[in-house]
Amino acid sequence: MVAQKTLCLGPKCAFGPNSSSLFRCGKKALKPTIRGNKIVFWCTWLNDECIGAKCQYAYCEARAMTPEGYCTYKAAGEEEAGKRDILAEVKKMEKEVEKIRAHLKRQGLGDYL
């Protein structure tokens, strides 16, 4: 199942296992600064505010950013949005076991399962 895509907003995009941002600047030009009462990430190379995934030097350390600028990173402990029904999984597994059992029986190895 594909992870839900959200637009990568730069350094505030996704956080890795050590709670640091996975967003990186290829020019190493990001500098967090305070403007008013909020933190803004400043690009020292262009001397302007970081534009996030729109920048040609932006990349994701987890390699989860698409060329369109969407973040597909999903943390390891995160729950899936659409949980699988356990009964449906059991029925699917039973069908697979039955196919294997029939195949082994045809080969004369029915006692092995």
Side-chain angles (χ1 to χ4, degrees):
M1 185 174 274
V2 178
Q4 186 176 4
K5 294 180 183 179
T6 56
L7 191 61
C8 184
L9 302 172
K12 302 174 203 162
C13 179
F15 294 94
N18 60 354
S19 299
S20 66
S21 177
L22 296 171
F23 180 85
R24 296 286 185 261
C25 175
K27 291 282 187 183
K28 298 188 189 306
L30 278 183
K31 178 182 170 190
T33 59
I34 297 174
R35 289 183 98 186
N37 60 353
K38 67 178 189 172
I39 296 175
V40 176
F41 289 89
W42 198 257
C43 176
T44 57
W45 192 60
L46 294 175
N47 201 21
D48 198 4
E49 195 171 334
C50 177
I51 58 174
K54 297 176 189 170
C55 180
Q56 65 181 349
Y57 300 109
Y59 69 94
C60 178
E61 199 169 82
R63 283 144 181 77
M65 190 177 359
T66 64
E68 295 85 30
Y70 287 98
C71 177
T72 59
Y73 180 76
K74 182 177 169 188
E78 240 178 70
E79 292 291 324
E80 283 189 29
K83 290 185 179 178
R84 295 180 181 175
D85 185 23
I86 190 76
L87 293 176
E89 287 292 316
V90 168
K91 288 179 183 179
K92 183 179 172 184
M93 289 174 72
E94 284 177 350
K95 287 180 183 179
E96 291 174 8
V97 168
E98 197 55 46
K99 285 181 184 178
I100 293 169
R101 183 176 284 135
H103 180 72
L104 288 173
K105 192 173 182 179
R106 273 181 276 163
Q107 299 295 323
L109 303 170
D111 297 333
Y112 290 101
L113 186 64

PDB file of all heavy atoms in Angstrom, residues 47-86:
ATOM      1  N   ASN A  47      19.905  34.308   0.046  1.00  0.00           N
ATOM      2  CA  ASN A  47      19.538  35.362   0.990  1.00  0.00           C
ATOM      3  C   ASN A  47      18.036  35.623   0.943  1.00  0.00           C
ATOM      4  O   ASN A  47      17.580  36.756   0.796  1.00  0.00           O
ATOM      5  CB  ASN A  47      20.335  36.638   0.726  1.00  0.00           C
ATOM      6  CG  ASN A  47      20.349  37.532   1.950  1.00  0.00           C
ATOM      7  OD1 ASN A  47      20.117  37.062   3.059  1.00  0.00           O
ATOM      8  ND2 ASN A  47      20.623  38.809   1.752  1.00  0.00           N
ATOM      9  N   ASP A  48      17.274  34.530   1.056  1.00  0.00           N
ATOM     10  CA  ASP A  48      15.816  34.590   1.037  1.00  0.00           C
ATOM     11  C   ASP A  48      15.282  33.409   1.839  1.00  0.00           C
ATOM     12  O   ASP A  48      16.035  32.513   2.198  1.00  0.00           O
ATOM     13  CB  ASP A  48      15.305  34.524  -0.403  1.00  0.00           C
ATOM     14  CG  ASP A  48      13.879  35.018  -0.556  1.00  0.00           C
ATOM     15  OD1 ASP A  48      13.302  35.498   0.449  1.00  0.00           O
ATOM     16  OD2 ASP A  48      13.338  34.927  -1.671  1.00  0.00           O
ATOM     17  N   GLU A  49      13.987  33.410   2.086  1.00  0.00           N
ATOM     18  CA  GLU A  49      13.371  32.309   2.817  1.00  0.00           C
ATOM     19  C   GLU A  49      13.399  31.028   1.981  1.00  0.00           C
ATOM     20  O   GLU A  49      13.261  31.074   0.755  1.00  0.00           O
ATOM     21  CB  GLU A  49      11.922  32.660   3.174  1.00  0.00           C
ATOM     22  CG  GLU A  49      11.330  31.766   4.215  1.00  0.00           C
ATOM     23  CD  GLU A  49       9.977  32.267   4.704  1.00  0.00           C
ATOM     24  OE1 GLU A  49       9.722  33.465   4.642  1.00  0.00           O
ATOM     25  OE2 GLU A  49       9.189  31.406   5.138  1.00  0.00           O
ATOM     26  N   CYS A  50      13.612  29.877   2.635  1.00  0.00           N
ATOM     27  CA  CYS A  50      13.671  28.585   1.949  1.00  0.00           C
ATOM     28  C   CYS A  50      12.331  28.283   1.286  1.00  0.00           C
ATOM     29  O   CYS A  50      11.273  28.462   1.901  1.00  0.00           O
ATOM     30  CB  CYS A  50      14.023  27.484   2.948  1.00  0.00           C
ATOM     31  SG  CYS A  50      14.051  25.835   2.227  1.00  0.00           S
ATOM     32  N   ILE A  51      12.377  27.820   0.043  1.00  0.00           N
ATOM     33  CA  ILE A  51      11.143  27.503  -0.684  1.00  0.00           C
ATOM     34  C   ILE A  51      10.834  26.005  -0.657  1.00  0.00           C
ATOM     35  O   ILE A  51       9.931  25.538  -1.328  1.00  0.00           O
ATOM     36  CB  ILE A  51      11.197  28.023  -2.134  1.00  0.00           C
ATOM     37  CG1 ILE A  51      12.392  27.435  -2.882  1.00  0.00           C
ATOM     38  CG2 ILE A  51      11.209  29.528  -2.154  1.00  0.00           C
ATOM     39  CD1 ILE A  51      12.436  27.783  -4.353  1.00  0.00           C
ATOM     40  N   GLY A  52      11.580  25.256   0.116  1.00  0.00           N
ATOM     41  CA  GLY A  52      11.300  23.834   0.318  1.00  0.00           C
ATOM     42  C   GLY A  52      11.585  22.987  -0.901  1.00  0.00           C
ATOM     43  O   GLY A  52      12.629  23.116  -1.539  1.00  0.00           O
ATOM     44  N   ALA A  53      10.646  22.124  -1.249  1.00  0.00           N
ATOM     45  CA  ALA A  53      10.847  21.143  -2.317  1.00  0.00           C
ATOM     46  C   ALA A  53      10.937  21.771  -3.701  1.00  0.00           C
ATOM     47  O   ALA A  53      11.370  21.121  -4.642  1.00  0.00           O
ATOM     48  CB  ALA A  53       9.711  20.129  -2.289  1.00  0.00           C
ATOM     49  N   LYS A  54      10.561  23.022  -3.840  1.00  0.00           N
ATOM     50  CA  LYS A  54      10.641  23.692  -5.146  1.00  0.00           C
ATOM     51  C   LYS A  54      12.088  24.000  -5.528  1.00  0.00           C
ATOM     52  O   LYS A  54      12.387  24.222  -6.685  1.00  0.00           O
ATOM     53  CB  LYS A  54       9.835  24.988  -5.119  1.00  0.00           C
ATOM     54  CG  LYS A  54       8.362  24.777  -4.896  1.00  0.00           C
ATOM     55  CD  LYS A  54       7.656  26.104  -4.779  1.00  0.00           C
ATOM     56  CE  LYS A  54       6.223  25.908  -4.328  1.00  0.00           C
ATOM     57  NZ  LYS A  54       5.595  27.186  -3.992  1.00  0.00           N
ATOM     58  N   CYS A  55      12.967  24.021  -4.550  1.00  0.00           N
ATOM     59  CA  CYS A  55      14.382  24.336  -4.790  1.00  0.00           C
ATOM     60  C   CYS A  55      15.073  23.158  -5.479  1.00  0.00           C
ATOM     61  O   CYS A  55      14.838  22.000  -5.147  1.00  0.00           O
ATOM     62  CB  CYS A  55      15.073  24.635  -3.464  1.00  0.00           C
ATOM     63  SG  CYS A  55      16.823  25.028  -3.624  1.00  0.00           S
ATOM     64  N   GLN A  56      15.963  23.458  -6.421  1.00  0.00           N
ATOM     65  CA  GLN A  56      16.645  22.384  -7.149  1.00  0.00           C
ATOM     66  C   GLN A  56      17.687  21.677  -6.298  1.00  0.00           C
ATOM     67  O   GLN A  56      18.125  20.580  -6.630  1.00  0.00           O
ATOM     68  CB  GLN A  56      17.281  22.930  -8.416  1.00  0.00           C
ATOM     69  CG  GLN A  56      18.398  23.931  -8.187  1.00  0.00           C
ATOM     70  CD  GLN A  56      18.967  24.433  -9.494  1.00  0.00           C
ATOM     71  OE1 GLN A  56      18.666  23.897 -10.555  1.00  0.00           O
ATOM     72  NE2 GLN A  56      19.790  25.464  -9.419  1.00  0.00           N
ATOM     73  N   TYR A  57      18.101  22.260  -5.181  1.00  0.00           N
ATOM     74  CA  TYR A  57      19.106  21.650  -4.322  1.00  0.00           C
ATOM     75  C   TYR A  57      18.497  20.905  -3.138  1.00  0.00           C
ATOM     76  O   TYR A  57      19.210  20.356  -2.321  1.00  0.00           O
ATOM     77  CB  TYR A  57      20.083  22.708  -3.818  1.00  0.00           C
ATOM     78  CG  TYR A  57      20.792  23.394  -4.949  1.00  0.00           C
ATOM     79  CD1 TYR A  57      20.504  24.708  -5.286  1.00  0.00           C
ATOM     80  CD2 TYR A  57      21.729  22.710  -5.703  1.00  0.00           C
ATOM     81  CE1 TYR A  57      21.141  25.327  -6.336  1.00  0.00           C
ATOM     82  CE2 TYR A  57      22.373  23.321  -6.770  1.00  0.00           C
ATOM     83  CZ  TYR A  57      22.077  24.625  -7.077  1.00  0.00           C
ATOM     84  OH  TYR A  57      22.704  25.228  -8.134  1.00  0.00           O
ATOM     85  N   ALA A  58      17.167  20.890  -3.039  1.00  0.00           N
ATOM     86  CA  ALA A  58      16.494  20.219  -1.931  1.00  0.00           C
ATOM     87  C   ALA A  58      16.493  18.708  -2.143  1.00  0.00           C
ATOM     88  O   ALA A  58      16.329  18.229  -3.260  1.00  0.00           O
ATOM     89  CB  ALA A  58      15.060  20.721  -1.821  1.00  0.00           C
ATOM     90  N   TYR A  59      16.708  17.977  -1.060  1.00  0.00           N
ATOM     91  CA  TYR A  59      16.588  16.522  -1.119  1.00  0.00           C
ATOM     92  C   TYR A  59      16.168  15.988   0.236  1.00  0.00           C
ATOM     93  O   TYR A  59      16.241  16.677   1.239  1.00  0.00           O
ATOM     94  CB  TYR A  59      17.890  15.865  -1.602  1.00  0.00           C
ATOM     95  CG  TYR A  59      19.049  15.934  -0.646  1.00  0.00           C
ATOM     96  CD1 TYR A  59      19.306  14.899   0.246  1.00  0.00           C
ATOM     97  CD2 TYR A  59      19.900  17.026  -0.635  1.00  0.00           C
ATOM     98  CE1 TYR A  59      20.379  14.953   1.121  1.00  0.00           C
ATOM     99  CE2 TYR A  59      20.969  17.092   0.226  1.00  0.00           C
ATOM    100  CZ  TYR A  59      21.210  16.059   1.107  1.00  0.00           C
ATOM    101  OH  TYR A  59      22.259  16.126   1.967  1.00  0.00           O
ATOM    102  N   CYS A  60      15.699  14.751   0.243  1.00  0.00           N
ATOM    103  CA  CYS A  60      15.237  14.098   1.463  1.00  0.00           C
ATOM    104  C   CYS A  60      16.257  13.035   1.840  1.00  0.00           C
ATOM    105  O   CYS A  60      16.657  12.230   1.003  1.00  0.00           O
ATOM    106  CB  CYS A  60      13.871  13.471   1.222  1.00  0.00           C
ATOM    107  SG  CYS A  60      13.224  12.596   2.657  1.00  0.00           S
ATOM    108  N   GLU A  61      16.660  13.043   3.101  1.00  0.00           N
ATOM    109  CA  GLU A  61      17.646  12.075   3.562  1.00  0.00           C
ATOM    110  C   GLU A  61      17.106  10.650   3.493  1.00  0.00           C
ATOM    111  O   GLU A  61      17.849   9.699   3.304  1.00  0.00           O
ATOM    112  CB  GLU A  61      18.060  12.413   4.995  1.00  0.00           C
ATOM    113  CG  GLU A  61      19.362  11.794   5.397  1.00  0.00           C
ATOM    114  CD  GLU A  61      19.842  12.367   6.711  1.00  0.00           C
ATOM    115  OE1 GLU A  61      19.358  11.894   7.746  1.00  0.00           O
ATOM    116  OE2 GLU A  61      20.685  13.265   6.677  1.00  0.00           O
ATOM    117  N   ALA A  62      15.796  10.478   3.638  1.00  0.00           N
ATOM    118  CA  ALA A  62      15.178   9.159   3.576  1.00  0.00           C
ATOM    119  C   ALA A  62      14.806   8.776   2.144  1.00  0.00           C
ATOM    120  O   ALA A  62      14.227   7.721   1.911  1.00  0.00           O
ATOM    121  CB  ALA A  62      13.926   9.117   4.450  1.00  0.00           C
ATOM    122  N   ARG A  63      15.130   9.634   1.183  1.00  0.00           N
ATOM    123  CA  ARG A  63      14.785   9.443  -0.234  1.00  0.00           C
ATOM    124  C   ARG A  63      13.294   9.196  -0.416  1.00  0.00           C
ATOM    125  O   ARG A  63      12.872   8.295  -1.124  1.00  0.00           O
ATOM    126  CB  ARG A  63      15.605   8.320  -0.847  1.00  0.00           C
ATOM    127  CG  ARG A  63      17.023   8.772  -1.141  1.00  0.00           C
ATOM    128  CD  ARG A  63      18.008   7.700  -0.899  1.00  0.00           C
ATOM    129  NE  ARG A  63      19.398   8.026  -1.133  1.00  0.00           N
ATOM    130  CZ  ARG A  63      20.162   8.736  -0.324  1.00  0.00           C
ATOM    131  NH1 ARG A  63      19.657   9.322   0.725  1.00  0.00           N
ATOM    132  NH2 ARG A  63      21.433   8.905  -0.559  1.00  0.00           N
ATOM    133  N   ALA A  64      12.503  10.026   0.260  1.00  0.00           N
ATOM    134  CA  ALA A  64      11.060   9.862   0.223  1.00  0.00           C
ATOM    135  C   ALA A  64      10.365  11.032  -0.461  1.00  0.00           C
ATOM    136  O   ALA A  64       9.154  11.120  -0.447  1.00  0.00           O
ATOM    137  CB  ALA A  64      10.513   9.714   1.645  1.00  0.00           C
ATOM    138  N   MET A  65      11.120  11.937  -1.076  1.00  0.00           N
ATOM    139  CA  MET A  65      10.519  13.071  -1.760  1.00  0.00           C
ATOM    140  C   MET A  65      10.410  12.764  -3.250  1.00  0.00           C
ATOM    141  O   MET A  65      11.386  12.359  -3.873  1.00  0.00           O
ATOM    142  CB  MET A  65      11.348  14.340  -1.559  1.00  0.00           C
ATOM    143  CG  MET A  65      10.629  15.561  -2.050  1.00  0.00           C
ATOM    144  SD  MET A  65      11.414  17.182  -1.827  1.00  0.00           S
ATOM    145  CE  MET A  65      12.923  16.927  -1.011  1.00  0.00           C
ATOM    146  N   THR A  66       9.218  12.927  -3.788  1.00  0.00           N
ATOM    147  CA  THR A  66       8.997  12.684  -5.213  1.00  0.00           C
ATOM    148  C   THR A  66       9.469  13.899  -6.012  1.00  0.00           C
ATOM    149  O   THR A  66       9.634  14.984  -5.452  1.00  0.00           O
ATOM    150  CB  THR A  66       7.503  12.432  -5.507  1.00  0.00           C
ATOM    151  OG1 THR A  66       6.777  13.625  -5.203  1.00  0.00           O
ATOM    152  CG2 THR A  66       6.966  11.266  -4.707  1.00  0.00           C
ATOM    153  N   PRO A  67       9.658  13.767  -7.326  1.00  0.00           N
ATOM    154  CA  PRO A  67      10.071  14.911  -8.142  1.00  0.00           C
ATOM    155  C   PRO A  67       9.064  16.066  -8.119  1.00  0.00           C
ATOM    156  O   PRO A  67       9.424  17.210  -8.354  1.00  0.00           O
ATOM    157  CB  PRO A  67      10.176  14.326  -9.554  1.00  0.00           C
ATOM    158  CG  PRO A  67      10.425  12.882  -9.340  1.00  0.00           C
ATOM    159  CD  PRO A  67       9.680  12.520  -8.078  1.00  0.00           C
ATOM    160  N   GLU A  68       7.810  15.753  -7.808  1.00  0.00           N
ATOM    161  CA  GLU A  68       6.787  16.800  -7.735  1.00  0.00           C
ATOM    162  C   GLU A  68       6.825  17.545  -6.406  1.00  0.00           C
ATOM    163  O   GLU A  68       6.082  18.491  -6.198  1.00  0.00           O
ATOM    164  CB  GLU A  68       5.384  16.209  -7.930  1.00  0.00           C
ATOM    165  CG  GLU A  68       5.147  15.621  -9.298  1.00  0.00           C
ATOM    166  CD  GLU A  68       5.642  14.184  -9.393  1.00  0.00           C
ATOM    167  OE1 GLU A  68       5.639  13.468  -8.366  1.00  0.00           O
ATOM    168  OE2 GLU A  68       6.058  13.787 -10.480  1.00  0.00           O
ATOM    169  N   GLY A  69       7.652  17.082  -5.460  1.00  0.00           N
ATOM    170  CA  GLY A  69       7.775  17.756  -4.171  1.00  0.00           C
ATOM    171  C   GLY A  69       6.913  17.174  -3.077  1.00  0.00           C
ATOM    172  O   GLY A  69       6.699  17.809  -2.051  1.00  0.00           O
ATOM    173  N   TYR A  70       6.415  15.960  -3.261  1.00  0.00           N
ATOM    174  CA  TYR A  70       5.584  15.328  -2.242  1.00  0.00           C
ATOM    175  C   TYR A  70       6.423  14.411  -1.368  1.00  0.00           C
ATOM    176  O   TYR A  70       7.329  13.735  -1.837  1.00  0.00           O
ATOM    177  CB  TYR A  70       4.452  14.523  -2.882  1.00  0.00           C
ATOM    178  CG  TYR A  70       3.376  15.394  -3.460  1.00  0.00           C
ATOM    179  CD1 TYR A  70       3.354  15.686  -4.812  1.00  0.00           C
ATOM    180  CD2 TYR A  70       2.395  15.945  -2.649  1.00  0.00           C
ATOM    181  CE1 TYR A  70       2.375  16.495  -5.344  1.00  0.00           C
ATOM    182  CE2 TYR A  70       1.409  16.751  -3.168  1.00  0.00           C
ATOM    183  CZ  TYR A  70       1.403  17.028  -4.520  1.00  0.00           C
ATOM    184  OH  TYR A  70       0.438  17.835  -5.038  1.00  0.00           O
ATOM    185  N   CYS A  71       6.099  14.396  -0.085  1.00  0.00           N
ATOM    186  CA  CYS A  71       6.807  13.563   0.879  1.00  0.00           C
ATOM    187  C   CYS A  71       6.028  12.267   1.058  1.00  0.00           C
ATOM    188  O   CYS A  71       4.840  12.284   1.354  1.00  0.00           O
ATOM    189  CB  CYS A  71       6.916  14.290   2.213  1.00  0.00           C
ATOM    190  SG  CYS A  71       7.709  13.314   3.483  1.00  0.00           S
ATOM    191  N   THR A  72       6.696  11.136   0.884  1.00  0.00           N
ATOM    192  CA  THR A  72       6.035   9.841   1.049  1.00  0.00           C
ATOM    193  C   THR A  72       6.591   9.091   2.244  1.00  0.00           C
ATOM    194  O   THR A  72       6.362   7.903   2.385  1.00  0.00           O
ATOM    195  CB  THR A  72       6.211   8.985  -0.214  1.00  0.00           C
ATOM    196  OG1 THR A  72       7.604   8.809  -0.453  1.00  0.00           O
ATOM    197  CG2 THR A  72       5.553   9.624  -1.418  1.00  0.00           C
ATOM    198  N   TYR A  73       7.299   9.786   3.137  1.00  0.00           N
ATOM    199  CA  TYR A  73       7.909   9.149   4.304  1.00  0.00           C
ATOM    200  C   TYR A  73       6.835   8.725   5.289  1.00  0.00           C
ATOM    201  O   TYR A  73       5.886   9.451   5.559  1.00  0.00           O
ATOM    202  CB  TYR A  73       8.875  10.109   4.986  1.00  0.00           C
ATOM    203  CG  TYR A  73       9.530   9.525   6.199  1.00  0.00           C
ATOM    204  CD1 TYR A  73      10.554   8.603   6.079  1.00  0.00           C
ATOM    205  CD2 TYR A  73       9.126   9.882   7.469  1.00  0.00           C
ATOM    206  CE1 TYR A  73      11.168   8.059   7.186  1.00  0.00           C
ATOM    207  CE2 TYR A  73       9.727   9.353   8.595  1.00  0.00           C
ATOM    208  CZ  TYR A  73      10.746   8.442   8.435  1.00  0.00           C
ATOM    209  OH  TYR A  73      11.339   7.897   9.545  1.00  0.00           O
ATOM    210  N   LYS A  74       6.997   7.532   5.821  1.00  0.00           N
ATOM    211  CA  LYS A  74       6.069   7.011   6.810  1.00  0.00           C
ATOM    212  C   LYS A  74       6.907   6.435   7.945  1.00  0.00           C
ATOM    213  O   LYS A  74       7.740   5.563   7.718  1.00  0.00           O
ATOM    214  CB  LYS A  74       5.204   5.925   6.192  1.00  0.00           C
ATOM    215  CG  LYS A  74       4.176   5.369   7.123  1.00  0.00           C
ATOM    216  CD  LYS A  74       3.330   4.368   6.388  1.00  0.00           C
ATOM    217  CE  LYS A  74       2.486   3.627   7.378  1.00  0.00           C
ATOM    218  NZ  LYS A  74       1.786   2.543   6.760  1.00  0.00           N
ATOM    219  N   ALA A  75       6.695   6.930   9.144  1.00  0.00           N
ATOM    220  CA  ALA A  75       7.466   6.472  10.302  1.00  0.00           C
ATOM    221  C   ALA A  75       7.201   4.999  10.575  1.00  0.00           C
ATOM    222  O   ALA A  75       6.123   4.478  10.289  1.00  0.00           O
ATOM    223  CB  ALA A  75       7.122   7.301  11.522  1.00  0.00           C
ATOM    224  N   ALA A  76       8.184   4.312  11.136  1.00  0.00           N
ATOM    225  CA  ALA A  76       8.089   2.866  11.363  1.00  0.00           C
ATOM    226  C   ALA A  76       6.963   2.502  12.325  1.00  0.00           C
ATOM    227  O   ALA A  76       6.301   1.493  12.152  1.00  0.00           O
ATOM    228  CB  ALA A  76       9.410   2.343  11.899  1.00  0.00           C
ATOM    229  N   GLY A  77       6.707   3.294  13.333  1.00  0.00           N
ATOM    230  CA  GLY A  77       5.688   2.972  14.330  1.00  0.00           C
ATOM    231  C   GLY A  77       4.298   3.457  13.969  1.00  0.00           C
ATOM    232  O   GLY A  77       3.344   3.222  14.694  1.00  0.00           O
ATOM    233  N   GLU A  78       4.159   4.158  12.843  1.00  0.00           N
ATOM    234  CA  GLU A  78       2.872   4.718  12.453  1.00  0.00           C
ATOM    235  C   GLU A  78       1.888   3.639  12.036  1.00  0.00           C
ATOM    236  O   GLU A  78       2.237   2.691  11.358  1.00  0.00           O
ATOM    237  CB  GLU A  78       3.086   5.658  11.265  1.00  0.00           C
ATOM    238  CG  GLU A  78       2.673   7.069  11.526  1.00  0.00           C
ATOM    239  CD  GLU A  78       2.958   7.940  10.339  1.00  0.00           C
ATOM    240  OE1 GLU A  78       2.282   7.788   9.308  1.00  0.00           O
ATOM    241  OE2 GLU A  78       3.867   8.761  10.450  1.00  0.00           O
ATOM    242  N   GLU A  79       0.641   3.807  12.424  1.00  0.00           N
ATOM    243  CA  GLU A  79      -0.410   2.868  12.043  1.00  0.00           C
ATOM    244  C   GLU A  79      -0.861   3.162  10.612  1.00  0.00           C
ATOM    245  O   GLU A  79      -0.882   4.305  10.180  1.00  0.00           O
ATOM    246  CB  GLU A  79      -1.614   3.012  12.985  1.00  0.00           C
ATOM    247  CG  GLU A  79      -1.339   2.553  14.393  1.00  0.00           C
ATOM    248  CD  GLU A  79      -1.165   1.054  14.502  1.00  0.00           C
ATOM    249  OE1 GLU A  79      -1.856   0.321  13.770  1.00  0.00           O
ATOM    250  OE2 GLU A  79      -0.331   0.634  15.302  1.00  0.00           O
ATOM    251  N   GLU A  80      -1.227   2.129   9.896  1.00  0.00           N
ATOM    252  CA  GLU A  80      -1.760   2.310   8.548  1.00  0.00           C
ATOM    253  C   GLU A  80      -3.160   2.886   8.631  1.00  0.00           C
ATOM    254  O   GLU A  80      -3.930   2.559   9.525  1.00  0.00           O
ATOM    255  CB  GLU A  80      -1.823   0.972   7.815  1.00  0.00           C
ATOM    256  CG  GLU A  80      -0.493   0.506   7.312  1.00  0.00           C
ATOM    257  CD  GLU A  80      -0.625  -0.708   6.418  1.00  0.00           C
ATOM    258  OE1 GLU A  80      -1.678  -0.867   5.762  1.00  0.00           O
ATOM    259  OE2 GLU A  80       0.326  -1.485   6.383  1.00  0.00           O
ATOM    260  N   ALA A  81      -3.501   3.744   7.681  1.00  0.00           N
ATOM    261  CA  ALA A  81      -4.817   4.364   7.670  1.00  0.00           C
ATOM    262  C   ALA A  81      -5.890   3.306   7.439  1.00  0.00           C
ATOM    263  O   ALA A  81      -6.912   3.270   8.110  1.00  0.00           O
ATOM    264  CB  ALA A  81      -4.879   5.439   6.601  1.00  0.00           C
ATOM    265  N   GLY A  82      -5.687   2.433   6.487  1.00  0.00           N
ATOM    266  CA  GLY A  82      -6.649   1.372   6.205  1.00  0.00           C
ATOM    267  C   GLY A  82      -6.151   0.065   6.783  1.00  0.00           C
ATOM    268  O   GLY A  82      -5.401  -0.648   6.140  1.00  0.00           O
ATOM    269  N   LYS A  83      -6.567  -0.242   7.982  1.00  0.00           N
ATOM    270  CA  LYS A  83      -6.118  -1.490   8.607  1.00  0.00           C
ATOM    271  C   LYS A  83      -6.743  -2.678   7.884  1.00  0.00           C
ATOM    272  O   LYS A  83      -7.898  -2.640   7.459  1.00  0.00           O
ATOM    273  CB  LYS A  83      -6.526  -1.520  10.078  1.00  0.00           C
ATOM    274  CG  LYS A  83      -5.774  -0.543  10.916  1.00  0.00           C
ATOM    275  CD  LYS A  83      -6.149  -0.707  12.364  1.00  0.00           C
ATOM    276  CE  LYS A  83      -5.369   0.264  13.224  1.00  0.00           C
ATOM    277  NZ  LYS A  83      -5.733   0.158  14.621  1.00  0.00           N
ATOM    278  N   ARG A  84      -5.981  -3.737   7.774  1.00  0.00           N
ATOM    279  CA  ARG A  84      -6.486  -4.935   7.113  1.00  0.00           C
ATOM    280  C   ARG A  84      -7.404  -5.694   8.058  1.00  0.00           C
ATOM    281  O   ARG A  84      -7.180  -5.763   9.257  1.00  0.00           O
ATOM    282  CB  ARG A  84      -5.330  -5.831   6.703  1.00  0.00           C
ATOM    283  CG  ARG A  84      -4.442  -5.213   5.670  1.00  0.00           C
ATOM    284  CD  ARG A  84      -3.346  -6.165   5.321  1.00  0.00           C
ATOM    285  NE  ARG A  84      -2.464  -5.569   4.337  1.00  0.00           N
ATOM    286  CZ  ARG A  84      -1.372  -6.122   3.906  1.00  0.00           C
ATOM    287  NH1 ARG A  84      -0.995  -7.299   4.370  1.00  0.00           N
ATOM    288  NH2 ARG A  84      -0.626  -5.522   3.009  1.00  0.00           N
ATOM    289  N   ASP A  85      -8.410  -6.267   7.491  1.00  0.00           N
ATOM    290  CA  ASP A  85      -9.327  -7.069   8.280  1.00  0.00           C
ATOM    291  C   ASP A  85      -8.664  -8.414   8.559  1.00  0.00           C
ATOM    292  O   ASP A  85      -8.255  -9.118   7.634  1.00  0.00           O
ATOM    293  CB  ASP A  85     -10.634  -7.233   7.522  1.00  0.00           C
ATOM    294  CG  ASP A  85     -11.682  -7.969   8.334  1.00  0.00           C
ATOM    295  OD1 ASP A  85     -11.594  -7.980   9.561  1.00  0.00           O
ATOM    296  OD2 ASP A  85     -12.597  -8.515   7.703  1.00  0.00           O
ATOM    297  N   ILE A  86      -8.547  -8.774   9.814  1.00  0.00           N
ATOM    298  CA  ILE A  86      -7.835  -9.997  10.199  1.00  0.00           C
ATOM    299  C   ILE A  86      -8.528 -11.243   9.650  1.00  0.00           C
ATOM    300  O   ILE A  86      -7.856 -12.193   9.234  1.00  0.00           O
ATOM    301  CB  ILE A  86      -7.654 -10.073  11.731  1.00  0.00           C
ATOM    302  CG1 ILE A  86      -6.710 -11.198  12.129  1.00  0.00           C
ATOM    303  CG2 ILE A  86      -8.977 -10.246  12.430  1.00  0.00           C
ATOM    304  CD1 ILE A  86      -5.289 -10.904  11.884  1.00  0.00           C
TER     305      ILE A  86
END
